[in-house]
Amino acid sequence: MTITYNFEGRTVLVTGAAQGIGKALAEFFVASAARVVVADRDATLLNDEWGGGNDNVLPLEVDVADRTSVDNAIAAVVAKWGSIDVVVNNAGIARDSVVWKLTDEQWDSVLAVHLTGTFNVTRAAVPHMRSSGFGRIVNVTSYTGMHGNIGQSNYAAAKGGIIAFTKSVAKETARFGITANAISPNAATAMVAAVPAEKLAEMTATVPQGRFADPSEMAAAVAFLASDEAAYITGVVLPVDGGVSM
Ligand SMILES: NC(=O)c1ccc[n+]([C@@H]2O[C@H](COP(=O)([O-])OP(=O)(O)OC[C@H]3O[C@@H](n4cnc5c(N)ncnc54)[C@H](O)[C@@H]3O)[C@@H](O)[C@H]2O)c1
């Protein structure tokens, strides 16, 4: 079997695609001939990065935490391209604090973007995937969602929730030609750059490969999980982390 990762004819939605991992994934899908919806709530950055007028790229200002925004976006994609075949739930934020200092806003916003956002997009996309008999859902979780982290109880709860959500959706949709999987990345992005230098050095020291990945290195795993050939793989969490989770 030759695996080409040719996504011609596929419509792919990547959330949080204005920068970091999401942008790198969207660039991969564009290069692989897909029709790509780049969704982000940062309209300025989205326009700066994706305003070039490529016919196969649809930039959409979407707040994944906002159900109306998501439902409108999915409807616009299906109206334009007729299907939604691959969804990458990648949008994310961090609002770190130890639990006894965590504000309602820090808790609510992190849960809303990661967990509710992943639900909002998935719920809106699955009916279209069921209609076409094909779907690939790739959710972006984290090592923290499996092991916890100091100062990140909100983020850990959201990312752990995404894993449980992914497995449930995988079971619910398995009969319809749809798979749902997750990746657990480790990549040098703005989110990581915001970590204090001393803490970042500690984190880097836990990576057996001794470095954070370039965001583009996440594409191989997402392409694999989104491919036609990965039809029999569902409900897994694939670490793309230089060995951190060993
Ligand atoms: N970078 C890592 O090492 C790492 C590790 C584990 C998990 N992750 C996860 O990977 C994903 C991408 O992270 P990144 O490092 O590229 O972060 P990033 O901060 O570089 O990019 C996140 C993007 O998401 C967008 N976004 C935030 N809230 C949104 C919303 N409500 N609606 C739509 N878009 C929104 C931002 O505008 C931004 O463009 C996140 O889910 C993050 O939790 C990253």
Side-chain angles (χ1 to χ4, degrees), residues 15-23 39-42 45 62-66 89-94 112-114 140-144 155 159 162 183-192 203 212 215:
T15 69
Q19 65 175 24
I21 293 170
K23 178 170 172 254
D40 205 287
R41 74 174 172 189
D42 187 332
L45 196 55
V62 180
D63 178 355
V64 296
D66 178 332
N89 283 306
N90 165 81
I93 59 170
V113 173
H114 290 277
V140 180
T141 183
S142 168
Y143 178 86
T144 299
Y155 184 82
K159 290 304 204 187
I162 285 175
I183 67 159
S184 170
N186 205 32
T189 64
M191 189 179 279
V192 172
M203 287 164 65
F212 278 74

Side-chain angles (χ1 to χ4, degrees), residues 18-193:
Q19 65 175 24
I21 293 170
K23 178 170 172 254
L25 295 177
E27 285 171 344
F28 161 80
F29 281 113
V30 171
S32 304
R35 299 175 294 223
V36 184
V37 187
V38 287
D40 205 287
R41 74 174 172 189
D42 187 332
T44 307
L45 196 55
L46 197 58
N47 189 54
D48 289 349
E49 300 296 338
W50 293 103
N54 182 330
D55 286 347
N56 283 329
V57 176
L58 176 62
L60 285 182
E61 183 184 347
V62 180
D63 178 355
V64 296
D66 178 332
R67 297 206 162 102
T68 306
S69 173
V70 169
D71 290 346
N72 289 343
I74 299 290
V77 173
V78 174
K80 184 176 171 64
W81 281 326
S83 70
I84 181 143
D85 305 304
V86 178
V87 162
V88 184
N89 283 306
N90 165 81
I93 59 170
R95 300 285 183 270
D96 296 355
S97 179
V98 284
V99 71
W100 59 92
K101 293 183 183 168
L102 202 64
T103 65
D104 289 351
E105 194 282 329
Q106 287 171 319
W107 175 267
D108 291 344
S109 61
V110 167
L111 269 287
V113 173
H114 290 277
L115 188 53
T116 306
T118 297
F119 161 66
N120 288 341
V121 174
T122 303
R123 181 178 62 176
V126 162
H128 302 289
M129 294 174 168
R130 282 190 65 184
S131 298
S132 65
F134 178 90
R136 297 284 182 267
I137 299 162
V138 183
N139 297 328
V140 180
T141 183
S142 168
Y143 178 86
T144 299
M146 294 173 269
H147 301 278
N149 193 20
I150 292 170
Q152 290 201 305
S153 59
N154 52 353
Y155 184 82
K159 290 304 204 187
I162 285 175
I163 294 171
F165 177 76
T166 302
K167 291 179 187 225
S168 298
V169 171
K171 288 184 176 178
E172 289 174 0
T173 61
R175 289 172 296 132
F176 307 116
I178 302 170
T179 67
N181 294 290
I183 67 159
S184 170
N186 205 32
T189 64
M191 189 179 279
V192 172

